[in-house]
Amino acid sequence: MYTFKELGIKKEFLEVLKKQGIKTPTAIQEMCVEHIINNKDIIAEAPTGTGKTLAFLLPMMNNMKPTKNGIQGLIITPTRELAIQIYEEIGKINCNNLNTMAIYGGRDYSKQLEDAKGSLDLIVATPGRLADFMKKGLIQLNLLKTLVLDEVDQILLMGFQKEVESILKDANKKRQTLCFTATLGSPVKKVAYKITKDPLVISVATEKNDDKMKKYLVETTDRWKVDALATMLNKTNPYMAIIFCRTKARVDKVEGRLEEKGYNVQKLHSDVPQVKREKIIKSFKKGEIQYLVATDVASRGLDITGVTHIFNLDIPEKAETYIHRIGRTARAGEEGETYLFVDPKDRRLLGNIEELLGEKLIKEIYDGEKDVINTNTIYAKKYNKKIKSRTEERK
Ligand code: ADP
Ligand code: MG
């Protein structure tokens, strides 16, 4: 096993990492860091919660110095929440005082960008807003040294092709390109090959039947799902949990019903105004909200300490999405429980998920209780101590 120092990370970074309780590289970090420092292109796959962010941030920032010449580093993410999170991660390890910024939709940045012109070193952006700013001439990427596509499969295969194409058309062709995800299928690999040069393909395997993450299945019907969910919430009393639904309308409805039932709940989807989205994530991170009901806008990349449970109220269309949703818990070696609620008509999709996982979900019994309300008046007491000490440890 190598240390960060042996992998070529400078002393000043080691000190800030140590303060965050980060001492030894994870597998993906060990496999990537040195190659990224040496300017190799990389296509990498590693399970959720295993430190992919630092695997690219550390070597990238290790190689950068502030200049007034233009943007050297760009990280593209599929969601605003993930862009903000990575921007905050950068802030935590920014020992070279790089000028950084997060650029995403729902906010007006034109003025700041005019002011920052020529002095930005490293940016994190969502594809739509970035492509838009490039067209307006507010951002130039002609001197870009390193490009990262985090959650690369979602960026390249699920809806941002046009934006990415337009961004890459005007970006420096001699750049280094790095692609990361937890689910690297062959279709995405094929596209990733096209935008990289002689890439190193790295894969860290998922541990099968990993006992840190318990994966349960609750058989019910669409009609009784919310009662089945409430039954499981009462039974497990999560410290914090995310409840995933398929559509925005469904999120609205489920949030309303859970609120009526007495749960401490908020919602997140793309029609929630941006200022509110940021406020909700902030108070969720602080533990002020116990339950977050969300669409898949929350399924990628989010790293929120205290999320002990994931509930898939609606089965996702793609098996990969299930992997990302449940990956919001049991991160960085912690434990977590996940529940998937299925109606008889979901059998085919369930089969796909179990095939991708290479394991069967554990059946959990719902006895058909009706009109279930919140019975846990003492707010997640049993986890409180454990999580507190864990957060303290990190300081
Ligand atoms: P991924 O992108 O693989 O899903 P993240 O980069 O979000 O995972 O990291 C998950 C968590 O692990 C974060 O809270 C991060 O601070 C922590 N972490 C990252 N690298 C290390 C390390 N080397 N040692 C301990 N914790 C780490
Ligand atoms: Mg990540």
Side-chain angles (χ1 to χ4, degrees):
M1 216 186 357
Y2 288 91
T3 62
F4 281 117
K5 192 175 164 209
E6 285 164 340
L7 295 171
I9 298 296
K10 290 174 190 157
K11 206 171 119 221
E12 54 263 39
F13 286 99
L14 306 182
E15 279 158 20
V16 290
L17 286 180
K18 212 168 147 198
K19 276 190 199 139
Q20 294 176 41
I22 294 173
K23 290 168 197 133
T24 44
T26 63
I28 185 69
Q29 291 162 0
E30 196 173 356
M31 289 162 96
C32 287
V33 166
E34 207 171 7
H35 296 295
I36 298 178
I37 290 180
N38 293 330
N39 255 328
K40 273 300 279 182
D41 280 14
I42 280 178
I43 301 174
E45 174 184 49
T48 53
T50 60
K52 292 189 285 297
T53 318
L54 284 176
F56 57 78
L57 278 186
L58 270 178
M60 206 178 159
M61 292 171 74
N62 196 76
N63 277 1
M64 289 171 70
K65 280 256 147 42
T67 68
K68 299 271 177 218
N69 299 336
I71 296 166
Q72 307 158 59
L74 163 65
I75 298 150
I76 299 181
T77 72
T79 67
R80 299 171 185 178
E81 281 71 23
L82 185 53
I84 296 168
Q85 178 180 295
I86 294 179
Y87 171 73
E88 286 169 353
E89 286 293 304
I90 292 172
K92 285 189 208 156
I93 58 166
N94 192 4
C95 358
N96 289 340
N97 286 319
L98 299 167
N99 210 341
T100 73
M101 191 167 173
I103 295 169
Y104 51 88
R107 289 203 172 241
D108 185 17
Y109 281 115
S110 320
K111 172 84 178 51
Q112 283 131 282
L113 275 177
E114 284 287 356
D115 296 346
K117 233 179 192 174
S119 72
L120 283 172
D121 303 302
L122 173 60
I123 61 170
V124 193
T126 51
R129 184 51 64 101
L130 178 64
D132 182 36
F133 280 171
M134 286 177 75
K135 271 191 208 125
K136 289 184 178 145
L138 287 164
I139 293 265
Q140 270 101 30
L141 297 176
N142 51 318
L143 294 173
L144 189 67
K145 282 207 255 174
T146 307
L147 167 70
V148 181
L149 302 179
D150 194 19
E151 308 293 346
V152 62
D153 53 327
Q154 183 165 29
I155 292 173
L156 294 181
L157 296 182
M158 299 176 207
F160 296 114
Q161 292 97 328
K162 257 207 187 122
E163 287 87 349
V164 172
E165 221 169 82
S166 124
I167 293 164
L168 293 185
K169 188 166 64 64
D170 292 324
N172 184 9
K173 299 281 179 293
K174 284 194 205 133
R175 60 165 197 271
Q176 170 186 38
T177 304
L178 312 170
C179 301
F180 284 84
T181 183
T183 48
L184 188 69
S186 31
V188 63
K189 237 188 236 169
K190 228 162 132 185
V191 190
Y193 268 116
K194 285 192 193 147
I195 58 166
T196 48
K197 282 194 207 84
D198 186 25
L200 197 65
V201 180
I202 293 175
S203 181
V204 177
T206 311
E207 279 174 44
K208 292 264 175 332
N209 300 312
D210 173 6
D211 62 0
K212 295 255 164 160
M213 194 199 279
K214 298 268 184 324
K215 304 183 197 78
Y216 297 104
L217 175 73
V218 182
E219 291 174 331
T220 171
T221 56
D222 282 340
R223 192 180 163 154
W224 295 110
K225 260 192 196 170
V226 179
D227 277 307
L229 170 66
T231 305
M232 293 306 148
L233 297 186
N234 289 347
K235 191 169 169 185
T236 56
N237 194 20
Y239 184 74
M240 281 153 63
I242 306 177
I243 296 155
F244 284 102
C245 303
R246 198 177 288 168
T247 65
K248 298 176 219 178
R250 175 96 166 127
V251 167
D252 290 341
K253 202 165 160 194
V254 169
E255 189 226 16
R257 288 197 56 197
L258 288 179
E259 194 167 19
E260 280 164 22
K261 287 172 176 290
Y263 296 95
N264 172 6
V265 60
Q266 289 284 345
K267 68 180 174 191
L268 190 79
H269 60 57
S270 59
D271 282 350
V272 175
Q274 187 52 29
V275 176
K276 186 136 190 233
R277 267 168 84 164
E278 286 175 41
K279 228 168 106 185
I280 286 168
I281 288 286
K282 252 196 197 138
S283 58
F284 191 51
K285 282 190 173 172
K286 279 196 230 156
E288 294 163 354
I289 299 166
Q290 189 175 10
Y291 298 113
L292 185 71
V293 185
T295 56
D296 283 309
V297 76
S299 68
R300 293 265 180 169
L302 295 188
D303 183 61
I304 302 176
T305 315
V307 175
T308 51
H309 292 68
I310 297 296
F311 298 91
N312 288 284
L313 193 61
D314 300 321
I315 196 165
E317 204 58 51
K318 287 197 165 69
E320 285 81 4
T321 306
Y322 174 83
I323 304 267
H324 292 280
R325 285 177 174 186
I326 63 172
R328 297 317 99 214
T329 190
R331 300 177 66 73
E334 296 293 343
E335 290 177 2
E337 285 182 16
T338 73
Y339 292 77
L340 171 63
F341 297 81
V342 293
D343 178 269
K345 73 166 170 3
D346 300 327
R347 191 162 304 147
R348 181 183 58 86
L349 296 178
L350 174 63
N352 296 346
I353 287 172
E354 292 187 327
E355 195 185 316
L356 184 67
L357 285 177
E359 65 181 269
K360 291 265 180 212
L361 304 187
I362 309 158
K363 278 190 193 168
E364 177 70 33
I365 306 299
Y366 161 59
D367 276 332
E369 294 89 339
K370 311 260 181 308
D371 302 319
V372 182
I373 56 162
N374 185 12
T375 55
N376 290 317
T377 44
I378 301 170
Y379 173 51
K381 211 172 169 185
K382 70 173 171 167
Y383 289 104
N384 242 331
K385 240 196 197 154
K386 206 164 108 192
I387 297 207
K388 240 189 188 155
S389 69
R390 187 198 307 162
T391 355
E392 289 298 316
E393 239 171 61
R394 275 280 165 78
K395 283 181 189 155

